[in-house]
Amino acid sequence: MAGNNHDAAIFGNAIVTRFTPGLLQGRTAFIAGGSSGINLGIAEGLARAGARIAVSSRSADRVAAAVADLRAQGFVATGSAADVRDFDAVAAAMAQVADQWGALDIVVSGAAGNFLAAAKDLSANGFKTVVDIDLLGTFNVFRASYPLLRRPGAALIAITAGQAVHPQPNQIHACAAKAGVNMVTRCLALEWAGEGIRVNAISPGPIENTEGMRRLTPTAEAEAAFKALIPLRCYGAKRDIADLAVYLSSEAARYITGAIFDCDGGMGLLGGGAYDFNG
C-alpha cells in the first residue's frame, strides 16, 4: 500500500483511508455534542464518508453555526438544540431527524463537561453536573435512539476518556462519570447485540486545537513539556478521532462491539499520573 501509513489502514478485507468517498453513503448520523470540538470533527469525518449529519447541543447558536459550516463544505446536514440531561428533548430531536431521513444508522454520544477540582473542594452539585452530562447524557442519547435505530446495522459510539480507567487527582467527578460511560457501552453492547446494534467507545487522548488542551497547557512551555510525556511525542488531530469513528461506523467493523478504543498516542500506557494537572 503506497503512501504514508498514517493516511490509510487495512481492517480485514476492507481498506479505510482518509480518501474513501461513499463509505457511509446513504446513512444517517446523529451526533450529540456535535456543534464543536472533537465531536464536530467526527461529524465532518462521517460526512466526508457520505453520511447525512444531524448535530445537537445545548446552544442553538452553536448548532446553527455548525450546520452552516457543514453545509458550506457541501455536506447534507441539519441540527437542533437539546440538552443531553433532558431525555424528552433528546428524543424529540432524534425523532425529527428520523421523520426527515428515516432510521438512524449512527449515533455518537459526545457531550461532556469537566473542570479541575480537588475532591475536598468539590461541591455535590459540581460532582452531579459532570455525572449528569457525561453519564446520564450518554444513557439518554442511546436510550432515546433505541426505537429509531436501523436493525440490524446501527452503530453507536460513546466518547469516553482515560479517566475511566486511570484515577487522577482533581478529576474524581470525571473519573466516575467516564467509568460509567464505559460500562454503559459494554452493557448496551451485550443487551442489543442480538438485534444487530453495535455499541463501542472511543477514548481520545490529547487532541490539538481543543478547548481542553488550551486550558491544560496554556503556554508554549507547558505544551512542549506535556508533549514530551506522550509516547508518540505529539498531540493527535481531531481527524484522528473522526477516522476511528468512521471505521467503527462502517462494515469494516461489523464484528466489533463492546470495545473501548484508545486513540491517545500511547498516553494510556503511562497511567493516570501522566495527566496529573494541579487545579
Side-chain angles (χ1 to χ4, degrees):
M1 182 170 58
N4 188 328
N5 63 7
H6 191 63
D7 290 336
I10 299 177
F11 300 98
N13 295 322
I15 297 179
V16 179
T17 78
R18 295 190 172 198
F19 311 104
T20 305
L23 187 67
L24 302 176
Q25 194 67 43
R27 301 191 191 184
T28 295
F30 184 97
I31 300 95
S35 64
S36 63
I38 288 173
N39 299 306
L40 180 55
I42 290 173
E44 291 174 345
L46 297 174
R48 279 192 299 270
R52 297 177 293 248
I53 303 300
V55 297
S56 178
S57 76
R58 284 180 290 175
S59 169
D61 290 342
R62 284 193 173 187
V63 169
V67 170
D69 180 58
L70 290 166
R71 289 176 177 173
Q73 296 180 62
F75 303 137
V76 178
T78 189
S80 58
D83 189 327
V84 295
R85 294 171 291 185
D86 184 340
F87 179 87
D88 291 339
V90 173
M94 289 182 171
Q96 184 177 0
V97 175
D99 288 344
Q100 182 177 357
W101 289 334
L104 303 180
D105 300 282
I106 302 161
V107 176
V108 179
S109 179
N114 197 7
F115 51 88
L116 295 172
K120 66 182 179 59
D121 301 320
L122 180 64
S123 70
N125 186 61
F127 185 92
K128 181 178 184 297
T129 296
V130 172
V131 170
D132 282 353
I133 295 172
D134 289 37
L135 178 54
L136 178 61
T138 296
F139 173 80
N140 284 346
V141 168
F142 288 165
R143 176 61 185 86
S145 74
Y146 178 77
L148 308 172
L149 296 175
R150 188 174 304 283
R151 293 175 174 79
L156 277 55
I157 301 171
I159 304 302
T160 183
Q163 292 101 316
V165 294
H166 300 299
Q168 296 169 21
N170 305 311
Q171 287 283 272
I172 187 172
H173 43 322
C175 289
K178 291 303 189 183
V181 169
N182 282 13
M183 195 53 69
V184 164
T185 298
R186 291 176 171 137
C187 287
L188 293 184
L190 186 62
E191 288 197 28
W192 294 353
E195 299 179 72
I197 299 168
R198 297 184 299 105
V199 190
N200 294 292
I202 297 174
S203 180
I207 302 299
E208 64 186 6
N209 299 321
T210 59
E211 182 63 27
M213 292 315 300
R214 281 191 289 269
R215 291 183 180 182
L216 293 174
T217 56
T219 67
E221 293 77 14
E223 180 177 317
F226 187 73
K227 285 181 178 177
L229 297 174
I230 303 171
L232 287 182
R233 298 296 188 268
C234 64
Y235 287 169
K238 293 173 187 175
R239 190 152 183 180
D240 294 319
I241 308 302
D243 286 349
L244 182 51
V246 170
Y247 164 58
L248 290 174
S249 301
S250 76
E251 286 299 308
R254 68 180 184 85
Y255 204 54
I256 297 174
T257 195
I260 314 296
F261 286 82
D262 291 334
C263 189
D264 64 358
M267 287 297 288
L269 303 173
L270 306 178
Y275 288 95
D276 186 2
F277 296 97
N278 294 313

